[in-house]
Amino acid sequence: MCELLGMSANVPTDITFSLTGLMQRGGRTGPHRDGWGVALYEGRGIHLFKDSMPGADSEVARMIQGYPLKSCIVIAHIRHANVGSVNLANTHPFIREMGGRYWCFAHNGQLKDFAPEPGLFRPVGETDSEAAFCHLLNQVRCEFPESVEIEALLPTLVSVCDGYRQFGVFNTLLSNGEWLFTFCSSKLAHITRRAPFGPAHLKDAEVTVDFKAETTPDDVVTIIATEPLTENETWTLYEPGEWKVWRDGEIIMQGRV
Amino acid sequence: MCELLGMSANVPTDITFSLTGLMQRGGRTGPHRDGWGVALYEGRGIHLFKDSMPGADSEVARMIQGYPLKSCIVIAHIRHANVGSVNLANTHPFIREMGGRYWCFAHNGQLKDFAPEPGLFRPVGETDSEAAFCHLLNQVRCEFPESVEIEALLPTLVSVCDGYRQFGVFNTLLSNGEWLFTFCSSKLAHITRRAPFGPAHLKDAEVTVDFKAETTPDDVVTIIATEPLTENETWTLYEPGEWKVWRDGEIIMQGRV
């Protein structure tokens, strides 16, 4: 199993604090030693940092923890390999261009005997996760040859994700840079921080941050993670089958299948 | 105009030295202030570091210069914007997945009035370069719905690149992780380093490296660049219309149109 970390914010926000907590689980406080990755949208572009080294030992991870890139949508992942060997091609998040936008995806769980027909989008590595991402994009492209808004797209996303549950566990984060779609098959939690901001203390490292010093009163920042990352805040747990679409730190659509 | 840097090697090799020279041209010894990027294949996976900051001032650039990722195929680029604003989405190299491989592309030059019909691959940013990359991939996919070897693919690559010359200057580096295709419409140079290795001195920075200390006698490392990066070695200049395919540091096919 792996761990997911997502962020949706209404202003470009530094995710260093949450990433620091997540990286500790990559080989120090957790068993997720098999690589990590983080994707940060910047306008229509995307930064993608990945490494097949454990997050806790990775030079690239240390660099990005010390270099606060800011973004409104972030997807990060630490990997505990179950399908596919430990190498860069098998490391989440995965990215594809569709309709002139970069789509980004990360998955927690395992899909057993999942072997879809090859389509236009094909996995580069060997993971069930990347196979699911490509299959999902192939379904979307088949149904919507031209780009559509999230409102029109959503029934397809939910139905495809729901279908994957018959193969196993499928918690996922997906974005095209405009919105962040989140689907919980077993475990996902979120917290929205807004004024008045207070301090937060990481579960996995001796780090406390006072968000009041880092934010303005209008900032809205939501963090989504497999498990709560801080110990002095109240996180909301997703129910199995629950999905939420985030934009600017707020839920714009939600439901449950 | 921009500057290109490519590497093909028979063992995973650190490109830090050449990258250091190139980055100086990103705002210090050259005018290419409008972003930079470097892609390094690792197995079937790919690392992609980009920034819309000038290479000479970029924190990400400093980090990768201090962190010697090794690779057999590298494509790097520094940008001097002519088409498209200065932002991450407009920064080379560009990457797409086709046939289960990551294809990577960077371009030096400018294509005037180049407006191909939209295909399956679409540009995310506004540059003529990314439009050409997507158009090239659309042509390849149209002709070869399933992956083929470079020998079968090459006539299409050469003919498409040759066609772009009617729109302007098209010097390019293209790879799918197996080979490095290089096409010169006006300016490109290469040097192949092999035993006995000697010292090399950068033109653009007070840096000398003794490759003898960094290599084994069997290493073959070719660097391809818009202009020679060192001042004490003899680079070979491409002729206009000349193309070469590199693998493991050696030319496996070449010709001229």
Side-chain angles (χ1 to χ4, degrees), chain A residues 42 44-48 50 52 59-60 63 67 88 96-97 100 102 120-124 141 146, chain B residues 42 44-48 50 52 59-60 63 67 88-89 96-97 100 102 120-124 141 146:
Chain A
E42 186 181 300
R44 295 173 69 93
I46 192 163
H47 288 286
L48 179 61
K50 285 184 177 196
S52 53
E59 279 294 334
V60 184
M63 182 281 303
Y67 180 58
L88 187 64
R96 296 291 186 275
E97 172 266 314
Y102 292 120
L120 280 170
F121 292 103
R122 300 201 180 172
V124 172
R141 174 119 83 187
E146 294 297 322
Chain B
E42 185 180 300
R44 295 173 70 92
I46 193 163
H47 288 287
L48 178 61
K50 285 185 177 193
S52 54
E59 280 294 332
V60 184
M63 182 279 305
Y67 180 59
L88 187 64
R96 295 290 186 275
E97 172 265 317
Y102 292 120
L120 279 170
F121 291 103
R122 299 202 181 170
V124 172
R141 172 119 85 186
E146 294 298 321

Side-chain angles (χ1 to χ4, degrees), chain B residues 59-111:
Chain B
E59 280 294 332
V60 184
R62 254 191 294 280
M63 182 279 305
I64 58 167
Q65 285 168 47
Y67 180 59
L69 286 164
K70 294 186 174 190
S71 173
C72 290
I73 302 182
V74 175
I75 292 182
H77 184 270
I78 51 175
R79 181 162 183 243
H80 186 195
N82 41 43
V83 177
S85 51
V86 177
N87 63 46
L88 187 64
N90 287 341
T91 306
H92 307 223
F94 301 103
I95 293 184
R96 295 290 186 275
E97 172 265 317
M98 182 167 67
R101 285 221 166 244
Y102 292 120
W103 293 62
C104 178
F105 168 94
H107 166 223
N108 153 256
Q110 188 171 359
L111 303 181

Side-chain angles (χ1 to χ4, degrees), chain B residues 7-251:
Chain B
M7 186 183 78
S8 168
N10 66 347
V11 287
T13 300
D14 164 13
I15 198 170
T16 305
F17 175 69
S18 300
L19 212 50
T20 299
L22 188 76
M23 289 300 180
Q24 299 305 311
R25 297 186 186 171
R28 194 159 299 155
T29 60
H32 311 88
R33 297 192 56 81
D34 303 325
W36 62 274
V38 55
L40 308 97
Y41 284 93
E42 185 180 300
R44 295 173 70 92
I46 193 163
H47 288 287
L48 178 61
F49 300 97
K50 285 185 177 193
D51 201 341
S52 54
M53 293 282 289
D57 302 336
S58 162
E59 280 294 332
V60 184
R62 254 191 294 280
M63 182 279 305
I64 58 167
Q65 285 168 47
Y67 180 59
L69 286 164
K70 294 186 174 190
S71 173
C72 290
I73 302 182
V74 175
I75 292 182
H77 184 270
I78 51 175
R79 181 162 183 243
H80 186 195
N82 41 43
V83 177
S85 51
V86 177
N87 63 46
L88 187 64
N90 287 341
T91 306
H92 307 223
F94 301 103
I95 293 184
R96 295 290 186 275
E97 172 265 317
M98 182 167 67
R101 285 221 166 244
Y102 292 120
W103 293 62
C104 178
F105 168 94
H107 166 223
N108 153 256
Q110 188 171 359
L111 303 181
K112 209 171 140 48
D113 302 324
F114 178 71
E117 285 294 306
L120 279 170
F121 291 103
R122 299 202 181 170
V124 172
E126 309 132 6
T127 63
D128 51 346
S129 306
E130 193 188 11
F133 177 41
C134 292
H135 175 257
L136 185 153
L137 292 181
N138 287 329
Q139 299 298 105
V140 170
R141 172 119 85 186
C142 180
E143 202 152 334
F144 303 101
E146 294 298 321
S147 302
V148 293
E149 293 299 312
I150 181 66
E151 291 74 9
L153 184 63
L154 192 67
T156 303
L157 292 185
V158 171
S159 135
V160 171
C161 290
D162 189 31
Y164 293 153
R165 293 162 80 194
Q166 68 179 279
F167 296 98
V169 174
F170 191 77
N171 302 301
T172 198
L173 305 177
L174 173 75
S175 179
N176 76 343
E178 298 184 299
W179 39 257
L180 177 63
F181 172 77
T182 57
F183 184 90
C184 172
S185 108
S186 65
K187 203 157 65 168
L188 213 52
H190 67 87
I191 188 163
T192 300
R193 299 184 182 121
R194 60 179 92 229
F197 290 94
H201 185 255
L202 283 182
K203 271 187 179 172
D204 299 271
E206 280 303 317
V207 179
T208 299
V209 67
D210 183 3
F211 287 114
K212 203 171 171 183
E214 314 273 334
T215 50
T216 70
D218 296 330
D219 294 7
V220 180
V221 181
T222 292
I223 300 292
I224 300 117
T226 301
E227 299 201 54
L229 290 164
T230 56
E231 56 189 9
N232 66 325
E233 299 177 300
T234 308
W235 291 61
T236 304
L237 304 185
Y238 284 63
E239 299 288 327
E242 201 174 0
W243 55 265
K244 297 175 202 266
V245 182
W246 300 88
R247 183 185 275 158
D248 298 334
E250 310 277 8
I251 294 169

Side-chain angles (χ1 to χ4, degrees), chain A residues 169-211:
Chain A
V169 173
F170 191 78
N171 302 302
T172 199
L173 305 177
L174 172 75
S175 180
N176 76 343
E178 297 183 300
W179 39 257
L180 176 63
F181 171 78
T182 57
F183 184 90
C184 172
S185 108
S186 65
K187 204 155 68 168
L188 213 51
H190 67 87
I191 187 163
T192 300
R193 299 184 183 120
R194 62 178 91 227
F197 290 94
H201 185 255
L202 282 181
K203 271 188 180 174
D204 300 271
E206 280 303 318
V207 178
T208 299
V209 67
D210 182 4
F211 287 114

Side-chain angles (χ1 to χ4, degrees), chain A residues 82-109:
Chain A
N82 42 43
V83 179
S85 51
V86 177
N87 62 47
L88 187 64
N90 287 341
T91 305
H92 307 223
F94 302 103
I95 292 183
R96 296 291 186 275
E97 172 266 314
M98 183 167 67
R101 285 223 166 242
Y102 292 120
W103 293 61
C104 179
F105 169 94
H107 167 223
N108 152 256

